[in-house]
Amino acid sequence: MASAAAFERQQLQIVGSSTVFPFSKTVAERIGMSGKIMMPIVESTGTGGGMEIFCAGTGPQTPDITNASRAIKASEAKFCAANGVTAAELKIGYDGIVVANYKDAPDFNLTLRQIFLSLAAKVPVDGTLVDNPYRTWSQIDPALPDSPIEVLGPPPTSGTRDAFVEMAMEGGCALIEDAAKLGLKGKACHAIREDGAFLDTGENDDLIVQFLDANPKALGIFGFSFLNKNTSHLKGALIQGIEPDFANIANGSYPLARPLFIYVKLEHVGNVPAIADYVSELTREEAWGPSGYLKEKGLIPLPDAERNEQRIRIAPVLAGN
């Protein structure tokens, strides 16, 4: 294992994904309140923001772990390496991206194609690519509610945004007839409209929930765990006819299911003993297992074999090997 300049810090520092934040915070509070280590500092900076801070270097002023709602990008891994940071990956479970609205509002059953047509910056009309003209859902499909397209979602620094763009926007774009001929391929499929139909609400998913309560006509995009804790007043849209629930996300049938990760800075393992304590707590069956306390928070556990595989992979890291 590579070593950074020697330093010692007792308090664990964690940054990253707002989706992983509730799970990470829960683990931190459990082990901190046990008295085994100092209460870790956990900040919700978004996946992209967390990677930038995490990969910036080593030493006591830099974080030890970053949470991520997508895998590290090649560009981020390159940035880490350039700054002497080695990131050890641990997949911790699964989550689904949901499109949700107020419980008493109309029900939505959306296809990936309809999601693309509602949010894309440019869409085909009569064989020509134009700025998105759709103002109501019923203009896209008469079977959808006759209500304004108002969608609240995460910013570009968010792993949820990255995953949504990849799975929903790119997936829907691929279903557009003659998409490639029109120039709709790759990054062109990722562009989200900026005419007010989509509102970037920042990294705070709780803020989206508050907006949905205040505006029953709007829809919000966030992780399943936030829907799971707000089912008394919110509901998730069906995607391709599939309900966003534990079973459908776990078995992969829900189209917008995704893995969640943490990344450990190897250079800090020997300098911050709390890293090993934290990861050991996170990977206990009582935490991330099928009946663990993180499931109660909305985390969809990894299958048994995958949990064992992840635990075996991270063990040498914690041992400093």
Side-chain angles (χ1 to χ4, degrees):
M1 184 186 75
S3 59
F7 70 91
E8 186 173 346
R9 172 159 42 74
Q10 297 302 313
Q11 192 169 32
L12 183 64
Q13 296 179 2
I14 304 172
V15 295
S17 166
S18 61
T19 299
V20 180
F21 175 79
F23 311 132
S24 185
K25 186 71 171 175
T26 299
V27 174
E29 290 173 347
R30 286 268 179 152
I31 194 167
M33 291 175 66
S34 73
K36 189 171 184 180
I37 64 172
M38 289 180 66
M39 185 69 72
I41 298 172
V42 186
E43 297 180 82
S44 176
T45 63
T47 296
M51 286 292 183
E52 184 175 355
I53 301 167
F54 177 83
C55 291
T58 62
Q61 303 306 314
T62 65
D64 313 301
I65 291 174
T66 191
N67 301 320
S69 54
R70 57 158 171 77
I72 189 171
K73 296 179 179 179
S75 58
E76 292 165 340
K78 186 176 180 180
F79 181 53
C80 266
N83 291 312
V85 174
T86 311
E89 180 183 277
L90 175 67
K91 186 188 296 185
I92 66 167
Y94 290 98
D95 181 39
I97 299 173
V98 300
V99 180
N101 62 348
Y102 189 67
K103 198 155 192 174
D104 293 335
D107 293 334
F108 278 81
N109 184 356
L110 296 167
T111 65
L112 297 181
R113 183 178 185 275
Q114 290 167 345
I115 292 174
F116 176 80
L117 291 176
S118 69
L119 295 179
K122 291 186 177 294
V123 298
V125 175
D126 297 328
T128 303
L129 208 58
V130 300
D131 291 339
N132 197 323
Y134 299 119
R135 293 291 175 265
T136 67
W137 292 99
S138 58
Q139 287 176 337
I140 294 173
D141 188 326
L144 293 174
D146 186 24
S147 56
I149 298 173
E150 297 178 84
V151 181
L152 310 164
T157 54
S158 166
T160 297
R161 170 78 163 258
D162 288 337
F164 177 80
V165 162
E166 180 181 338
M167 293 189 290
M169 297 295 289
E170 195 170 320
C173 185
L175 300 175
I176 300 295
E177 187 176 355
D178 293 330
K181 290 182 181 179
L182 291 168
L184 281 175
K185 55 184 178 179
K187 290 185 178 180
C189 296
H190 297 178
I192 292 180
R193 61 196 299 182
E194 297 179 351
D195 57 359
F198 178 86
L199 177 63
D200 175 341
T201 54
E203 294 289 357
N204 188 348
D205 289 347
D206 284 318
L207 189 59
I208 299 180
V209 172
Q210 294 172 23
F211 281 153
L212 295 182
D213 285 341
N215 183 2
K217 293 183 179 180
L219 283 80
I221 299 168
F222 45 80
F224 170 76
S225 61
F226 284 88
L227 174 63
N228 185 58
K229 72 177 185 179
N230 290 285
T231 52
S232 63
H233 53 120
L234 298 181
K235 62 185 176 183
L238 303 185
I239 305 296
Q240 303 282 135
I242 307 295
E243 183 178 357
D245 61 22
F246 276 98
N248 292 334
I249 294 170
N251 65 28
S253 62
Y254 181 66
L256 303 183
R258 55 164 174 183
L260 302 177
F261 305 88
I262 70 166
Y263 288 86
V264 177
K265 188 174 292 182
L266 264 61
E267 288 76 15
H268 282 198
V269 171
N271 297 316
V272 185
I275 293 175
D277 294 316
Y278 176 86
V279 178
S280 294
E281 172 62 24
L282 170 60
T283 55
R284 287 196 313 125
E285 284 298 283
E286 292 82 0
W288 74 344
S291 300
Y293 59 77
L294 292 179
K295 183 179 179 182
E296 296 175 7
K297 293 289 183 178
L299 181 71
I300 287 80
L302 299 171
D304 293 351
E306 196 167 6
R307 287 199 313 283
N308 289 334
E309 176 188 338
Q310 291 295 316
R311 195 183 286 114
I312 290 169
R313 285 180 64 250
I314 203 69
V317 173
L318 301 182
N321 300 322

